[in-house]
Amino acid sequence: MPGKIRTVEEKVLFRKGTGGYLYYRIPGILPVRDALLLVLEARNSRLGDWGDIDILILRRERDGELSQVHRIGESTLPPDGTMRTYNNPVLIPDGERVHLIYHKNYERAFLITSLDDGKTWSEAREITESYRRFPYEWNVCATGPGHGIRTGTGRLVAPVWLALGEVSRDGMTRAHAPSVAGAIYSDDHGETWQAGALAQGLANGNETTVAETEDGKLLFNYRNTDECRRRALGLSCDGGESLESRWFCEELVDPRCFGSMVSTAEGILFANCEDAERRIHLTVKRSRDNGGSWEKVWEVDSVGGYPDIAEADGKVYLFYERQEGDEIGELVLAAGVWDREA
C-alpha cells in the first residue's frame, strides 16, 4: 500500500477583493461523473459569519474550466438593514442525484437537488423541521460544512450543529456557542430527514465531518473547544442514529478549526491544520484501522484554514482556505496522487 501523497496541481480559484466580493470562505467539494462540484460562501460583509453572504455553486470540468452554475443569495441588492446570510452549504451525493443543504440566517434550513451533475438545480425546499426534532433548544443551526455522504445502504447523512447563543443588541446576530454536534439522515433520497445522535459530553461540539468505515459503521470527527486541543471521534453502528463510543484522538491535533474526512480504497483520509494554536500546517492523515490510529501522508500547505477533501479519477483533491495574516486571502484547489514508491 502506498505511503505518501505528492502534489501534482495547485491553483488559486478565488482571491479576496475580486469577483465582486470582499472575500471567500467555507469551501466544499464533491466529485460527479464528469466534473468536480465546488461550493463556497462569497462574503460582502465585515461581520464575520454574519452579514451579506451568498452561496456560489461551480463546476470544474476535466479540462480545468471553471464555471458558476448557481448562486443563492441577495448580496448584490442595495443594503436595506436586514440580515441576509446564506451559510454553511453542504453537498451530498445520491446516485444520479446531488443534494445541497444550506441555511439562511442560521435559523432556517433548505435543500435543493440536481439531476444533471450540478448543471441545474431545483427550487429550494425548507427542511428546518428536521432540526426541531433534536432534543436540544437552539437559536442557531447549520450543516457541516464540507460534504455529506451516501452510505452503502443508500442512507444520506449530513453532519449538523446547533447552538443556543447570546443574542446581540441589534437582535439579528447570535453567538455560535454553547453548541452541540450531530447529524441528520434521510432514507428516501432527501424527501424527509430525521434527527440522528448528538455527541454528548463535548465542549461546544460543532463543525463535524463523517466517513463510512469498511465494515459499514460511521466515523464522526468533531471540532470542539476542549482544552486538550484534539479532535473528538465518534463511532455509530446504526447509520448515525446513536453513538456506540466517543473519544479524543491524541494523534489529531487541532486549532479549533474545521477538518474534513473521506473514505478511500487506501483508508480514511482526514485533512486539517495540524497545530494546537494556529491555522498552519495543512495536512492530510490516513487511518487504516477505522480511526484507531493515524499517519501523515500529505503535507499540503504551510498555512491553511477550512479544507474539504475528495477523491476522484485516481487523485485526492483538497479545496481549502489559505490564511494571510488574520484573513483568508485565497481559496485553493490542490490535487495529489499516491506515490507508489514512498
Side-chain angles (χ1 to χ4, degrees):
M1 179 173 288
K4 298 292 181 183
I5 298 172
R6 58 180 174 87
T7 302
V8 295
E9 179 185 0
E10 181 186 298
K11 185 174 183 179
V12 175
L13 299 186
F14 297 89
R15 173 75 186 165
K16 68 178 181 180
T18 65
Y21 293 96
L22 293 176
Y23 62 108
Y24 302 89
R25 285 212 61 196
I26 321 299
I29 183 171
L30 185 73
V32 291
R33 282 173 291 188
D34 55 354
L36 295 174
L37 289 184
L38 306 176
V39 66
L40 56 104
E41 292 183 10
R43 299 185 174 189
N44 264 331
S45 170
R46 294 295 185 186
L47 298 176
D49 293 334
W50 297 89
D52 283 346
I53 299 176
D54 292 347
I55 290 171
L56 305 183
I57 307 174
L58 304 102
R59 274 178 54 101
R60 185 181 189 262
E61 308 299 336
R62 288 188 174 179
D63 62 4
E65 180 183 354
L66 187 66
S67 60
Q68 181 178 315
V69 295
H70 195 58
R71 180 176 68 88
I72 301 165
E74 308 162 73
S75 294
T76 56
L77 300 178
D80 59 6
T82 61
M83 188 66 63
R84 42 178 177 262
T85 298
Y86 292 87
N87 59 282
N88 283 63
V90 166
L91 292 162
I92 307 166
D94 185 19
E96 296 183 354
R97 305 174 181 86
V98 178
H99 306 285
L100 177 79
I101 297 178
Y102 69 93
H103 303 74
K104 184 175 182 180
N105 297 339
Y106 289 95
E107 63 185 0
R108 299 174 66 190
F110 296 89
L111 180 139
I112 58 176
T113 298
S114 174
L115 301 178
D116 55 8
D117 295 323
K119 296 176 183 176
T120 61
W121 293 84
S122 68
E123 293 294 321
R125 178 167 56 87
E126 187 164 3
I127 59 168
T128 310
E129 183 58 33
S130 305
Y131 294 69
R132 296 294 179 192
R133 298 191 177 104
F134 286 103
Y136 184 86
E137 183 181 356
W138 55 267
N139 60 9
V140 170
C141 69
T143 36
H147 62 270
I149 64 171
R150 184 177 190 262
T151 71
T153 66
R155 171 170 287 186
L156 310 182
V157 182
V160 304
W161 56 274
L162 310 167
L164 185 58
E166 181 179 356
V167 180
S168 64
R169 290 184 179 180
D170 63 19
M172 291 193 294
T173 66
R174 301 171 298 283
H176 289 178
S179 63
V180 63
I184 57 174
Y185 63 90
S186 173
D187 291 320
D188 54 11
H189 301 290
E191 287 298 316
T192 60
W193 293 83
Q194 308 302 322
L198 295 176
Q200 304 297 327
L202 283 181
N204 296 316
N206 55 17
E207 296 169 338
T208 302
T209 183
V210 64
E212 188 172 21
T213 64
E214 291 179 333
D215 55 359
K217 297 180 181 180
L218 295 187
L219 180 67
F220 290 93
N221 191 319
Y222 304 98
R223 177 181 175 176
N224 64 91
T225 61
D226 193 272
E227 289 302 318
C228 71
R229 300 275 181 164
R230 298 296 190 273
R231 302 290 297 192
L233 301 181
L235 201 60
S236 174
C237 296
D238 54 13
E241 297 177 39
S242 65
L243 292 178
E244 71 168 27
S245 59
R246 187 192 61 73
W247 67 98
F248 288 104
C249 183
E250 185 64 27
E251 296 168 293
L252 299 184
V253 179
D254 190 73
R256 298 175 177 173
C257 183
F258 176 68
S260 178
M261 288 194 306
V262 66
S263 294
T264 76
E266 309 293 351
I268 296 176
L269 303 181
F270 172 67
N272 82 322
C273 292
E274 191 188 29
D275 190 86
E277 302 292 336
R278 296 182 295 164
R279 295 182 179 184
I280 59 176
H281 304 313
L282 186 61
T283 301
V284 172
K285 293 185 176 181
R286 172 176 62 181
S287 176
R288 290 183 280 186
D289 56 7
N290 298 328
S293 61
W294 299 84
E295 58 178 333
K296 184 185 299 186
V297 294
W298 191 12
E299 296 183 11
V300 183
D301 205 321
S302 60
V303 294
Y306 282 38
D308 197 21
I309 191 169
E311 183 194 45
D313 300 325
K315 294 180 180 179
V316 178
Y317 291 93
L318 209 63
F319 188 30
Y320 68 94
E321 300 173 344
R322 178 178 282 162
Q323 194 91 4
E324 291 183 357
D326 294 330
E327 292 187 335
I328 301 300
E330 300 170 333
L331 293 188
V332 181
L333 180 65
V337 296
W338 287 102
D339 190 336
R340 298 294 165 178
E341 298 180 0

